[in-house]
Each structure stands twice: as C-alpha cells, then as structure tokens.
Amino acid sequence: MESPLIDHPDRLAVSAAVGPIAPVPDQIGVAGIATRRRVPLLRVALAGVAVLAGSALFLSGYSLGRQAAAEPGTPADDPAAFRPFWDTYHTINDRYAGGTVDRERMVQGAIRGMIDSLADPYSAYLTSDEYRASLQGISGEFEGIGADLASQATDGSSSCTTIGPTCRLVIVKPIGGSPAERAGLLPGDRVLAADGVPFDGLSVDAARARIRGPKGTILELSIARDGASPFELSITRDIIQEPEVETRVLAGGTVGYVQLKGFSDRSASDFATAVRDQVAAGRQRLVIDLRGDPGGYVTAARQVASQFIGSGAIFWEQDARGSQTATLAIPGGVATDGSIRVVCLIDHGSASASEIVAAALQDTGRATLVGQRSFGKGTVQQWQELAGEGGAFRLTIARWLSPAKRWIHGVGLEPDITVALPAGVPPGADPTLDRALELLAPTTAPVIP
C-alpha cells in the first residue's frame, strides 16, 4: 500500500523528529545544534525516535510503507551479477562452523549493505522495531514523560555540553497534560539523576536517552528545586502528543503569529485552523515561523502552503527518469487573499517540508522570507516495508523543485531579508522576529505641507 510522501530531513528521519532541534548540515541528523533560542531544547518525549546511520528524521522526505510484493529471486536477465551473492549466502549456510547462523539477521545485513552502498545519507535500512518507532515519531507522538530539557551552566550564563559540576540538566517546561506536568515538574527544576544514577559525564543526548522510555514504565527522577531540599519524583511514561502548532498575537493584537514545528497530517490541519482563526479575528498581517522545523510529510507541506497559495504548483517532483510532475495547490486556502500580508521566518534548521513551503511562498511572491539561509534538503524518500519481519528501507526516489523549478539541495533557500544573529543575544531576544514586525508595521504616508 502506498503511503503519503513525507519530507523530513530527519527528525530522521523519524520525524521526525523533535522539539525543535535543528539539523547539522555537515552531520546529517538530529544531533543537536544550538537553536535560535541559544539553549538547545531536547524533547524528552522523543523516546520513539529512531536515529539511523547518523541521521535523524529531520533530513528525509519520503513516502511511507509500501509492502514489497516483489518477484522473489534473481532477475532472469541478470543471473551472473547475483551469482557471487548467492554463492556467499549458500556457503555461509552450508559451511560456517563458528556457530549457529541467524539467517534473518544475515539477510537484514545484506539489505543494509545494499542500501549503504548508495552512499546516500537519506536512504537507509531499518529493522522492524526501528521502522515501527519511525512511524510513531512521524505521527507526532512519542513515548516519554513529556518535558523540554535544556543544559545550563551552573552560573546561569549559557548552555553547556557535558553534564557535571559546572553543567546541569534543567526542565524548561513540561508539555501541557503530560506525565511530567501531572507529576508536578516545574520550569527551572534541576534533574540530578534518573533511577538513582546521576548524569555526570553524559552529553545532553545521552541524558535524554536515559529519561525516555516505553509507555507504562516508571521513571524515578531526583529533582533539585530552588527553596526546597532535593526530592524524588515518580513519573509513569506515556505516549505524548507533541504540540506542533503555536499561535500568538503580537504588535498590540494587530499581527497574528503561527509557528509550525513539524509536518504531520495533524499539524497541517491544526495549522490551517490557527491561520483561519487569525484571519477571522481581522488580522491582515501574519508571521509564519518555520525556524527549526525539520519537515515531515510532503502532503502536509502541500496543505500548509495551500493556505496562502490559491492555485498553481506548490512544488514539482522529478523522478529517476527526469520526468517532472507538479503538485498543485489545494483550493480553498484561508489566507489566499493578497491583502493579507505574510512574512515567513526561516533559519538553518528549516529543512525539507519547511523548505517546500518557504520556496513556494517565495516563488509566488506570497510572502517575504526573513531570517537565515535554510538547511538545503531537496530530495524525497519513500519507505518500503519488506515482507515478514524483514524491516523496511527508505530510498531516495525523487527530487523536489520549487514552483519556479529551483533545486535547493545542498544550497538552501536564501531569505529575501537576511538577519545576522550576533553572539551574545540576550535570553528572550529575537532579532529575526523583530525584523519581521518592522516589515509588517503599517506605513503612514508623509504629510505634505
């Protein structure tokens, strides 16, 4: 069964993945780089995210889960090319004397080797368990306690990398309705240990891995809180539905702000509702924030872009034979009226489906892009599920091109207005958003005497 295309450069690629963590251009994946907030947020709820071959779902666009009902065996027109493979396979089965041969593991290893031979960071093999975890992550649901974590130097001056005497793990905020919130975790709480084992010497990623876990399991956290003695807190992990859309009102109620953190089907619907509410409230100036958004389903990208673009191509797909197919706007978008002014924020963490939307808005002149150059992921992957417990693989099957047929792979999108981010930006400051509000400020015609 063909599933919808997803374009996640990897929260990888499990939507991937995360709240929001920007991908590192020279290190494919969800490996943390500082976000615009300068404090690297790590979504504890990410337990379901599988990290593959150094990739996080942030960098993958793909279509999901087609069961291969392929013709088994060696192609009749090319037996010589496969003879070394079968010779090796049969020799191992017949003659290996070092122990029992796990044929399932051997076959999975062969499949992984074929995919790895492509040297494509966006194509990869997953075991059955990894594949299931990937699908869970792409859906926007994760298993964990549901809290944002950050590293913080003990003097409070900045973030840090290794937990220890001068670097602590703190709760930024629990997700609304999550086990963390129900258990009483508060912003600013310091997390000292998990199940009695301190985090000293661990990276933030490793600390996060210790905190996440399957639904129903109990985690004992040691917590330090200002004004109180350290105490133990028991939290039962659960499936967390990560909020992917945030909406606010800025500039004295005159500018609507909608942030999108991922491209699941649910987030696309929530995004449309948020924009509709802003427009219904009479706001004719909107800020769409795609910073740090690693992408997701390309079908969701189409829905999001169609809220502003009434007709024509949202993007093009170019397959292995060079054929190009347009994906058209869905009629009925809630903000297609040109009188609604739109600014779209991007940065180095905006990738894949985020770039599809931003490129469409830029090429059609529907929005002004403000921020920093985007990640630069211009390919689409398809998931193919293998029979039995054979797992699945994702394979690059197409390039995506902007409406003007630009291919931004490895290059990224250049914003219409670049905002430099100097070192030492104070906490809470947001120069990129400030610049967007300047652009959207109403203009007053000069008074001529």
Side-chain angles (χ1 to χ4, degrees):
M1 179 182 76
E2 291 289 347
S3 337
L5 289 176
I6 52 186
D7 189 66
H8 238 260
D10 273 24
R11 255 178 219 190
L12 210 192
V14 164
S15 193
V18 222
I21 298 176
V24 182
D26 60 352
Q27 180 182 337
I28 303 305
V30 196
I33 66 174
T35 67
R36 61 185 179 280
R37 298 184 179 93
R38 299 182 51 76
V39 178
L41 295 184
L42 296 170
R43 190 65 78 180
V44 175
L46 287 181
V49 175
V51 176
L52 308 170
S55 281
L57 183 98
F58 175 103
L59 300 172
S60 306
Y62 25 80
S63 62
L64 274 185
R66 184 164 63 85
Q67 177 83 28
E71 302 154 1
T74 301
D77 59 347
D78 202 7
F82 285 85
R83 179 161 185 172
F85 171 83
W86 288 115
D87 285 349
T88 303
Y89 177 84
H90 291 305
T91 299
I92 292 173
N93 267 327
D94 296 343
R95 305 188 61 186
Y96 178 67
T100 302
V101 175
D102 185 335
R103 288 195 291 181
E104 181 177 299
R105 183 177 179 184
M106 184 166 61
V107 169
Q108 290 178 347
I111 298 169
R112 188 186 304 275
M114 283 191 287
I115 300 296
D116 288 349
S117 73
L118 300 174
D120 176 7
Y122 305 118
S123 298
Y125 170 77
L126 288 76
T127 65
S128 296
D129 288 343
E130 289 170 337
Y131 179 52
R132 283 190 288 268
S134 297
L135 298 186
Q136 182 186 52
I138 293 164
S139 72
E141 293 183 348
F142 308 97
E143 290 180 289
I145 68 170
D148 283 338
L149 286 179
S151 61
Q152 184 184 71
T154 52
D155 62 6
S157 60
S158 63
S159 60
C160 43
T161 56
T162 303
I163 308 301
T166 61
C167 182
R168 57 195 179 190
L169 199 63
V170 300
I171 300 294
V172 176
K173 65 175 181 179
I175 297 173
S178 68
E181 183 182 63
R182 293 194 297 270
L185 275 178
L186 298 176
D189 283 349
R190 300 184 296 281
V191 187
L192 307 178
D195 293 328
V197 181
F199 297 107
D200 289 355
L202 297 182
S203 67
V204 180
D205 282 345
R208 178 201 62 198
R210 288 259 311 279
I211 291 174
R212 65 192 186 184
K215 173 184 177 180
T217 57
I218 296 175
L219 176 69
E220 296 285 341
L221 289 183
S222 300
I223 302 296
R225 181 177 294 168
D226 290 343
S229 300
F231 59 94
E232 299 296 312
L233 200 61
S234 293
I235 304 178
T236 301
R237 299 179 178 100
D238 202 346
I239 294 177
I240 309 300
Q241 185 68 58
E242 182 182 16
E244 295 181 292
V245 177
E246 177 186 330
T247 183
R248 289 187 276 154
V249 177
L250 305 174
T254 61
V255 175
Y257 170 95
V258 182
Q259 181 183 24
L260 186 59
K261 300 176 182 179
F263 280 80
S264 66
D265 287 336
R266 184 182 63 86
S267 70
S269 176
D270 290 348
F271 178 86
T273 299
V275 174
R276 181 182 297 109
D277 290 346
Q278 295 283 6
V279 173
R283 298 183 187 99
Q284 298 291 294
R285 292 173 288 158
L286 302 176
V287 173
I288 306 304
D289 194 346
L290 300 179
R291 292 176 294 176
D293 187 329
Y297 291 100
V298 295
T299 50
R302 181 192 185 198
Q303 289 177 269
V304 168
S306 295
Q307 302 310 313
F308 309 97
I309 300 169
S311 63
I314 297 297
F315 66 94
W316 295 78
E317 279 190 52
Q318 179 174 308
D319 65 19
R321 295 175 177 80
S323 299
Q324 295 180 349
T325 304
T327 294
L328 302 178
I330 302 168
V334 297
T336 57
D337 187 338
S339 66
I340 300 173
R341 297 171 57 197
V342 183
V343 171
C344 179
L345 309 185
I346 61 171
D347 67 3
H348 303 309
S350 306
S352 203
S354 293
E355 292 174 298
I356 288 177
V357 172
L361 294 175
Q362 188 177 53
D363 278 6
T364 59
R366 189 63 193 88
T368 301
L369 300 191
V370 174
Q372 299 80 47
R373 184 183 292 273
S374 67
F375 182 82
K377 198 271 184 179
T379 56
V380 175
Q381 283 67 44
Q382 183 182 63
W383 283 109
Q384 180 166 307
E385 184 179 1
L386 299 172
E389 289 298 308
F393 63 86
R394 71 177 187 271
L395 184 68
T396 297
I397 58 156
R399 300 178 177 187
W400 70 261
L401 312 175
S402 74
K405 298 192 176 180
R406 292 183 292 157
W407 193 44
I408 56 90
H409 194 71
V411 177
L413 283 168
E414 185 69 30
D416 299 303
I417 298 176
T418 298
V419 178
L421 297 180
V425 175
D430 193 340
T432 303
L433 180 57
D434 291 343
R435 186 70 180 95
L437 293 176
E438 289 175 10
L439 289 174
L440 290 173
T443 57
T444 303
V447 176
I448 302 176

